[in-house]
Amino acid sequence: MNDALSSEADVSSAAGIPTSERILSTSAALFREKGYASSTTRELAELLGIRKASLYHHIETKEEILYQICIASLTRIIDEISKSIPAVVSQDDLRTMIRSHVAEIVGTRDFHAVMLTEMRGLTPDHLVEVVALRDRYEELIRDVVSQSQALGILRDDFAAKYLMLCLLNLLNWTIFWFKPGGDLDAEELGDLLASVFLEGASQMSTLGPERGL
Amino acid sequence: MNDALSSEADVSSAAGIPTSERILSTSAALFREKGYASSTTRELAELLGIRKASLYHHIETKEEILYQICIASLTRIIDEISKSIPAVVSQDDLRTMIRSHVAEIVGTRDFHAVMLTEMRGLTPDHLVEVVALRDRYEELIRDVVSQSQALGILRDDFAAKYLMLCLLNLLNWTIFWFKPGGDLDAEELGDLLASVFLEGASQMSTLGPERGL
DNA sequence: GTCTATATTGTGATAGAC
DNA sequence: GTCTATCACAATATAGAC
């Protein structure tokens, strides 16, 4: 685990990328692995190959790094998912949206995992701002769900809010176990999660012949 | 938030429950809210209404509390879910198992949330033991999924392992947003999650008339 | 932009009286 | 079983030279 972190740091260091640009991604990897509160500026400096004090030429506080990671995560995913949603959605669009979300969270895994699990380490002011952004993302999904219900694409026996939360449940816990390079790649994972959300896990025959359309 | 913690502490304190028995539940609530690494023995002592040093009459280290919480969480849920699984499963049994899991994690929310998210704070030895217990729980679920696939109850286009992970995705992220006393109670949540896992979120008409059986 | 050296605070944990 | 007092150390962050 430490090997993964240090080798990653070595790569960007060897590539001549400036320290200021390496801080966020190196911190995201560190915070994801050890948690924000348990990650020290010592460790971060060591991963970056500089002394602890040199960090403070680039940042003002450790919390500022967490804040930047959360903002980067949310602006990225809001942008990516917004692009994938047309004015009027179809079931195929839902599938595309789900696959985009999965591709984004596993493709920029460190940033999203830290945003999703370490948000409480933010100062009150930053927390308010980040929660507002997260709420904006959830509203984006909820609106798509709501429209899909009105169009008869999604079931409407539960409020859009709860269908949205079910969907994010299904997608987001993935950050805790998915490892790139395993026997299921990111694209297959997206297909699986989209299919389980839309069609469920029951065998087709118990649900009728239309399964898989 | 701090109010919720302190009033809870006051209640058990007023009821005359011994400190030694209050430490685990009070710690679970604290660790859940602030994270294990950010929770201090000072705060814990304050919630218990004793001095920091008095804690060490009951425990040897702070990490020992985390270990006890993880063990309690896993033995509880393994026990609860084992009880709900018959030798040969039906779709109804799957539904019951899912509802039991949901009832258990939201009913003993602090313990399970801490186990699920703070495990990395354990010492290496304790981590090995706790991960083994967690793996045992996941195997329990995976075996039920595998048997259901063989019986034609669950789809078999993906390995049981991944269907199990989808299910735990869907159920476990709930710890981050479910609050008892909201407009969806624990039982309704269990029904929703079981139904979304088994039948999916698509409108019935797109899947055929058997939906809901 | 990085360094050495240090300030300051907070942490988990212990000693020993009552 | 709880207390007061304290230890030893690790944390974030700063000062000022190069």
Side-chain angles (χ1 to χ4, degrees):
Chain A
M1 306 207 288
N2 275 322
D3 292 341
L5 283 174
S6 39
S7 63
E8 185 179 339
D10 289 344
V11 166
S12 57
S13 177
I17 300 171
T19 300
S20 58
E21 294 180 22
R22 293 168 59 217
I23 289 181
L24 274 200
S25 56
T26 305
S27 299
L30 178 64
F31 294 172
R32 168 167 202 275
E33 184 167 300
K34 313 210 16 164
Y36 169 71
S38 299
S39 299
T40 67
T41 51
R42 261 175 217 274
E43 290 171 297
L44 178 56
E46 197 176 358
L47 287 171
L48 292 166
I50 59 175
R51 299 293 164 185
K52 185 169 47 103
S54 309
L55 265 178
Y56 290 88
H57 176 76
H58 306 282
I59 58 156
E60 289 200 320
T61 66
K62 175 185 157 188
E63 187 268 348
E64 183 195 327
I65 304 178
L66 178 61
Y67 171 67
Q68 301 281 5
I69 288 171
C70 290
I71 295 294
S73 156
L74 283 162
T75 51
R76 269 190 70 108
I77 200 163
I78 287 172
D79 200 48
E80 281 301 311
I81 270 50
S82 297
K83 283 194 308 191
S84 80
I85 302 171
V88 178
V89 300
S90 66
Q91 200 186 55
D92 269 358
D93 294 325
L94 278 181
R95 215 175 281 273
T96 301
M97 182 185 80
I98 293 170
R99 282 192 282 230
S100 298
H101 178 104
V102 173
E104 175 59 28
I105 62 168
V106 306
T108 315
R109 196 171 54 132
D110 294 334
F111 281 72
H112 296 300
V114 168
M115 180 274 290
L116 286 166
T117 64
E118 304 295 334
M119 208 181 268
R120 62 183 160 194
L122 292 168
T123 59
D125 279 4
H126 284 162
L127 184 60
V128 166
E129 189 183 345
V130 167
V131 166
L133 263 185
R134 186 204 57 185
D135 289 350
R136 203 173 114 200
Y137 182 66
E138 290 188 359
E139 274 176 47
L140 199 65
I141 308 290
R142 201 201 52 208
D143 287 348
V144 170
V145 166
S146 185
Q147 192 194 13
S148 301
Q149 289 178 313
L151 292 170
I153 297 170
L154 290 182
R155 57 196 286 181
D156 57 2
D157 52 343
F158 282 91
K161 174 187 170 187
Y162 292 113
L163 232 43
M164 173 272 286
L165 287 168
C166 282
L167 177 57
L168 293 182
N169 270 18
L170 184 63
L171 305 187
N172 285 343
W173 193 269
T174 298
I175 58 165
F176 291 122
W177 57 266
F178 182 77
K179 304 268 189 300
D183 53 347
L184 188 80
D185 67 29
E187 199 177 354
E188 290 170 321
L189 176 67
D191 291 344
L192 169 60
L193 294 172
S195 177
V196 167
F197 181 71
L198 292 170
E199 289 109 29
S202 290
Q203 180 68 269
M204 302 201 243
S205 58
T206 66
L207 286 172
E210 289 87 348
R211 170 81 171 254
L213 287 184
Chain B
M1 304 207 289
N2 275 321
D3 292 342
L5 282 174
S6 37
S7 64
E8 184 179 340
D10 289 343
V11 166
S12 58
S13 178
I17 300 171
T19 299
S20 57
E21 295 179 23
R22 294 169 60 219
I23 289 181
L24 274 200
S25 56
T26 306
S27 299
L30 178 63
F31 294 173
R32 169 167 201 276
E33 183 168 301
K34 314 209 17 164
Y36 169 71
S38 299
S39 300
T40 67
T41 51
R42 262 173 216 272
E43 290 171 295
L44 178 57
E46 197 177 356
L47 287 171
L48 291 167
I50 58 175
R51 300 291 165 186
K52 183 169 50 100
S54 309
L55 264 178
Y56 289 88
H57 177 74
H58 307 281
I59 58 156
E60 289 201 319
T61 66
K62 175 186 159 190
E63 188 269 348
E64 183 194 327
I65 305 177
L66 178 61
Y67 171 66
Q68 301 282 3
I69 290 171
C70 290
I71 296 293
S73 156
L74 283 162
T75 52
R76 268 191 71 107
I77 199 163
I78 287 172
D79 201 48
E80 281 301 312
I81 269 50
S82 297
K83 283 195 307 194
S84 80
I85 301 171
V88 179
V89 299
S90 65
Q91 201 187 53
D92 270 358
D93 295 325
L94 276 182
R95 216 175 281 272
T96 301
M97 181 185 81
I98 293 170
R99 283 192 283 231
S100 299
H101 179 103
V102 173
E104 175 59 28
I105 62 168
V106 306
T108 314
R109 195 172 53 131
D110 293 335
F111 281 72
H112 296 301
V114 169
M115 180 274 290
L116 287 166
T117 64
E118 304 296 333
M119 206 182 271
R120 62 184 159 192
L122 293 168
T123 59
D125 279 5
H126 284 162
L127 184 60
V128 166
E129 189 183 344
V130 168
V131 165
L133 264 186
R134 187 204 56 187
D135 288 350
R136 203 173 114 199
Y137 182 66
E138 290 188 358
E139 273 175 49
L140 200 64
I141 307 290
R142 199 200 53 206
D143 287 348
V144 171
V145 167
S146 184
Q147 192 194 12
S148 301
Q149 288 178 313
L151 292 170
I153 297 169
L154 290 182
R155 57 196 286 181
D156 58 0
D157 53 341
F158 282 92
K161 173 187 170 189
Y162 291 113
L163 233 42
M164 172 273 286
L165 287 168
C166 282
L167 177 57
L168 293 181
N169 270 17
L170 184 62
L171 305 186
N172 285 342
W173 194 269
T174 297
I175 59 165
F176 290 122
W177 57 265
F178 182 77
K179 306 267 190 296
D183 53 347
L184 188 81
D185 67 29
E187 200 178 354
E188 290 169 322
L189 177 67
D191 291 344
L192 169 60
L193 293 173
S195 177
V196 167
F197 181 71
L198 292 171
E199 288 110 28
S202 289
Q203 179 68 270
M204 302 201 243
S205 58
T206 66
L207 285 172
E210 289 87 348
R211 170 80 172 255
L213 286 184

